[in-house]
Amino acid sequence: MLRDLVARHTGRLAPDVTALVEIASERGLSKGEALLEAGEEAQVAGIVLEGVIGEFYVGIDGKRKAKWLASEGDVVGSMEDLVRKGPARATIRSLTPSVVLCLPYAKLRSLTTNDLAWAGFFITVMEHLYRQKSEREYTLLMLDAEDRYRWFQKHHGHIEAMVAQEIVASYLGVTPVHLSRVRRTLGAA
């Protein structure tokens, strides 16, 4: 999977993945286990090898808001917290039993400063993440609940049955009751 990710995000300058393999480690997570807790310093980005991972903001009332959902092949890690440094704002939890290929962010960044091919890889991955996050932001700001749910089904429908309805609702910016109504209206219930 690591070779596929690198190949997908590189053009003619394909770096030797050995350097990435040397810093990577697999981490198994049980359902509910944290990859990152709010308040900790974010140090790791990763690739989901198996399962579903959720990135959340947790309010002072303890309620969590789904910021991002990642499944097999997706990059996971709070880029905001990795770049900003200091206490993380996000919490990242496994929503199913999962396996993540973890990459220490500081070592990943050092690869990019020493090798033009790795710098190109890093830029294309960041551009890909930016497009995904921008599309998510657009759906939240510009689409109604039914269209957001259609978007979710198109992009994340394969994980819907694996995660709690409250998480899907939070990801879509609606209540679980409203999500049920939307699903009934669209004949998805």
Side-chain angles (χ1 to χ4, degrees):
M1 185 172 280
L2 195 54
R3 289 185 202 287
D4 290 344
L5 178 75
V6 171
R8 216 174 31 238
H9 291 286
T10 54
R12 290 174 290 142
L13 295 175
D16 177 8
V17 297
T18 305
L20 208 53
V21 169
E22 288 174 359
I23 65 169
S25 63
E26 276 190 24
R27 180 167 171 200
L29 299 167
S30 56
K31 182 178 179 177
E33 189 175 348
L35 183 63
L36 173 69
E37 289 282 3
E40 295 176 351
E41 183 179 346
Q43 297 180 16
V44 173
I47 302 164
V48 180
L49 300 177
E50 295 175 19
V52 181
I53 306 288
E55 189 174 323
F56 303 92
Y57 289 128
V58 181
I60 55 173
D61 60 0
K63 291 185 181 177
R64 62 185 181 178
K65 302 285 184 179
K67 177 182 174 192
W68 189 248
L69 297 174
S71 59
E72 187 176 318
D74 291 335
V75 174
V76 67
S78 178
M79 286 309 300
E80 171 200 8
D81 291 323
L82 286 165
V83 170
R84 187 174 42 77
K85 299 183 181 170
R89 294 179 185 166
T91 293
I92 301 174
R93 286 206 181 280
S94 183
L95 302 176
T96 65
S98 302
V99 178
V100 176
L101 185 66
C102 294
L103 302 162
Y105 188 70
K107 290 181 180 179
L108 187 58
R109 287 288 292 148
S110 104
L111 281 177
T112 69
T113 60
N114 299 319
D115 187 317
L116 185 59
W118 280 117
F121 166 75
F122 191 76
I123 288 168
T124 59
V125 169
M126 292 300 105
E127 288 172 343
H128 177 75
L129 288 172
Y130 175 77
R131 283 191 305 273
Q132 287 181 315
K133 300 271 182 159
S134 292
E135 184 175 352
R136 168 138 166 73
E137 181 179 288
Y138 176 83
T139 65
L140 286 171
L141 295 173
M142 301 305 293
L143 302 181
D144 64 21
E146 289 180 11
D147 286 335
R148 286 196 305 271
Y149 183 69
R150 285 184 189 102
W151 176 88
F152 178 84
Q153 285 183 307
K154 179 179 176 184
H155 296 280
H156 299 288
H158 63 287
I159 66 169
E160 185 172 6
M162 293 187 261
V163 299
Q165 182 172 335
E166 73 175 70
I167 292 170
V168 174
S170 173
Y171 193 73
L172 296 174
V174 298
T175 66
V177 171
H178 193 161
L179 176 59
S180 291
R181 284 188 207 120
V182 167
R183 293 178 79 228
R184 265 195 313 276
T185 299
L186 297 177

